[in-house]
Amino acid sequence: MSDSSTGSAGAIKAIDKQSVHQICSGQVVLSLATAVKELVENSIDAGATNVDVKLKDNGIELVEVSDNGKGVEEQNFEGLNKLSCEHQR
């Protein structure tokens, strides 16, 4: 297992359609608690040692999770803006 506490996170790469389908069909947010849990787990996975959770109007107006983890490098921001799930009828 590599040490993720040093070095860059690497490039973000698009995933194939089959993987997108599996992710989209398997990860449905059932509650605010589930959503916050997922965001906090992402923070921990990014190596965070400090995680702050803010809710405004009980999470209706705002859910914000901030941390001191490694996160996404600026050169990979564009990859975050691409549509990753498509609704199928």
Side-chain angles (χ1 to χ4, degrees):
M1 184 150 108
S2 65
D3 181 6
S4 62
S5 63
T6 60
S8 72
I12 294 177
K13 298 176 185 160
I15 59 176
D16 61 274
K17 285 187 176 189
Q18 177 63 26
S19 295
V20 169
H21 175 71
Q22 290 173 336
I23 292 168
C24 290
S25 63
Q27 294 186 356
V28 177
V29 175
L30 300 175
S31 68
L32 176 61
T34 301
V36 171
K37 175 184 170 284
E38 288 294 327
L39 293 170
V40 170
E41 286 176 351
N42 288 347
S43 295
I44 293 167
D45 289 345
T49 57
N50 185 25
V51 180
D52 294 314
V53 178
K54 295 180 184 178
L55 303 176
K56 188 171 184 179
D57 194 15
N58 295 313
I60 294 170
E61 190 172 326
L62 173 75
V63 175
E64 179 179 284
V65 176
S66 56
D67 62 56
N68 65 344
K70 291 216 177 231
V72 178
E73 295 176 354
E74 188 173 346
Q75 67 264 23
N76 292 319
F77 284 176
E78 186 178 328
L80 297 175
N81 294 325
K82 294 183 179 178
L83 182 63
S84 61
C85 298
E86 297 177 10
H87 293 282
Q88 302 205 3
R89 295 177 188 246

